[in-house]
Amino acid sequence: MQIRMVKETDLESLRQLFREAFEEEGEAVSNLALSLIEDKSAQPRVTLVAEEGDRLVGSVIFSAVTLEGAEQICSYILAPLAVVKDVQRSGIGRKLIESGCEALCEQDGDAVFVLGDPEYYGRHGFFSKHHVHPPYELPYPEAWMARSLRGISLESLQGRLICADSLMRPELW
Ligand SMILES: CC(C)(COP(=O)(O)OP(=O)(O)OC[C@H]1O[C@@H](n2cnc3c(N)ncnc32)[C@H](O)[C@@H]1OP(=O)(O)O)[C@@H](O)C(=O)NCCC(=O)NCCS
């Protein structure tokens, strides 16, 4: 299995991958993924795929976000992440997250945010006790997490996060 940057020729397989992994939400998530990949306001962006032979088995997208009042902070949001069912629980999700964070560090990233399962992301260095607000109010605030990159302290960060246009839709939150 290798992790690499996405290519133009991957897009149809990616659509299928997100559709299958997210089941009933699959159509919406695959539309979001494809729209983020084309979205100029999501740049800089890191899109990785996990490939086994000639099959894509996982993918993750990190897109740039802006922290209101602290525009000098270089931060990203992780969304979406998916691994196909038959190879889940073999560490591919972890490798995608770690390779993505390494790539963001190389782009001088300071922080990554995610809205997801605290149990899963808590194992990957994300925590809920930070002071950055999501773009929209959430029913489960503990699912809104941050991870520091390059050892930067997130203690003093506060304000509201603004995402790429594709993500600034309340129904996605
Ligand atoms: C969530 C997902 C990306 C994890 O990918 P993965 O490659 O299976 O994850 P890893 O192999 O790196 O880690 C597996 C560990 O995480 C845990 N885990 C996997 N999915 C989990 C979930 N949804 N919630 C909590 N823990 C989860 C497992 O318990 C496993 O640990 P264990 O095998 O020791 O029990 C994958 O299950 C997936 O694509 N799910 C459907 C789409 C989705 O929900 N994406 C997340 C969007 S926020």
Side-chain angles (χ1 to χ4, degrees):
M1 197 270 302
Q2 67 149 337
I3 307 265
R4 61 163 173 80
M5 292 288 180
V6 71
K7 297 189 288 204
E8 189 71 33
T9 49
D10 294 327
L11 296 187
E12 208 35 58
S13 308
L14 269 195
R15 182 184 289 285
Q16 203 55 34
L17 187 155
F18 283 110
R19 237 185 224 151
E20 284 171 15
F22 277 87
E23 299 177 334
E24 63 273 20
E25 293 175 321
E27 198 57 37
V29 178
S30 70
N31 287 341
L32 169 65
L34 273 282
S35 128
L36 267 173
I37 290 174
E38 314 255 292
D39 188 342
K40 287 200 169 53
S41 69
Q43 286 170 340
R45 172 183 47 229
V46 169
T47 306
L48 298 178
V49 296
E51 188 172 46
E52 261 180 14
D54 57 4
R55 178 184 181 220
L56 294 193
V57 291
S59 181
V60 64
I61 302 177
F62 297 86
S63 55
V65 291
T66 306
L67 182 55
E68 272 180 341
E71 286 77 9
Q72 77 284 2
I73 297 295
C74 177
S75 44
Y76 294 83
I77 188 164
L78 183 170
L81 163 69
V83 174
V84 294
K85 283 215 164 351
D86 60 299
V87 292
Q88 283 178 4
R89 298 192 152 199
S90 60
I92 297 173
R94 169 179 293 278
K95 284 185 191 130
L96 284 165
I97 294 171
E98 291 312 319
S99 305
C101 288
E102 275 169 34
L104 299 181
C105 287
E106 283 164 20
Q107 298 185 7
D108 294 335
D110 297 316
V112 190
F113 295 86
V114 71
L115 176 64
D117 186 332
E119 212 184 300
Y120 184 70
Y121 287 102
R123 296 179 184 192
H124 298 91
F126 289 85
F127 62 97
S128 308
K129 288 196 170 142
H130 60 86
H131 314 292
V132 175
H133 296 290
Y136 303 100
E137 215 169 294
L138 298 170
Y140 305 105
E142 66 281 4
W144 176 238
M145 288 167 282
R147 169 173 163 165
S148 158
L149 297 170
R150 301 186 297 141
I152 285 173
S153 166
L154 306 185
E155 263 296 295
S156 60
L157 285 191
Q158 48 186 324
R160 176 175 176 247
L161 212 67
I162 306 296
C163 299
D165 297 343
S166 310
L167 281 164
M168 293 303 284
R169 289 163 39 208
E171 70 274 17
L172 293 174
W173 298 75

